[in-house]
Amino acid sequence: MTSTTTATQIHVLTATGFPVSTKAKANPTGEQKWTHEGSVTESLPNGMFRVRLDNEDLIIGYISGKIRKNFVRILPGDRVKVEVSRYDSSRGRIVYRLRNRDPTSE
């Protein structure tokens, strides 16, 4: 490949609106999220749950695609990890179901 074809390809990419970058971004939307832990208090329809966070906030949590794809069961009383948007702190995405510690083993 010559430098003229490379320059032409870059020109075409920038003309169509695609960013010219060799690095993939970790968060494609650019939205920053807070990660909290909490306990599921109530199961709602359509994969939604009422979650009480450790800081005593009550939010609505919905199941992430990976949890839905792997058929992870979430029941009231389970500990979960939730990503909460900085713009709407009343809703969050449940991204991980934490293992419950067995109180009889302690």
Side-chain angles (χ1 to χ4, degrees):
M1 281 179 120
T2 63
S3 62
T4 56
T5 58
T6 306
T8 305
Q9 289 173 350
I10 292 173
H11 179 68
V12 170
L13 288 175
T14 56
T16 58
F18 292 112
V20 178
S21 175
T22 58
K23 256 197 293 191
K25 295 184 180 183
N27 190 356
T29 62
E31 185 178 349
Q32 297 176 344
K33 296 189 176 9
W34 287 316
T35 303
H36 293 286
E37 290 184 11
S39 178
V40 175
T41 59
E42 183 182 357
S43 177
L44 301 171
N46 295 330
M48 309 261 288
F49 296 91
R50 197 169 310 276
V51 179
R52 180 166 302 279
L53 301 178
D54 290 343
N55 61 1
E56 297 301 319
D57 285 344
L58 196 62
I59 67 166
I60 299 288
Y62 59 91
I63 297 179
S64 70
K66 218 174 231 189
I67 291 180
R68 195 180 298 266
K69 178 182 153 192
N70 292 318
F71 299 105
V72 175
R73 297 286 179 213
I74 297 177
L75 299 171
D78 287 345
R79 297 278 302 159
V80 292
K81 192 180 289 187
V82 181
E83 283 183 351
V84 180
S85 171
R86 293 185 183 212
Y87 301 110
D88 184 9
S89 60
S90 65
R91 297 174 64 87
R93 176 177 36 213
I94 299 173
V95 293
Y96 190 74
R97 179 180 171 263
L98 298 168
R99 295 187 185 269
N100 293 334
R101 284 186 273 157
D102 189 15
T104 58
S105 65
E106 293 178 7

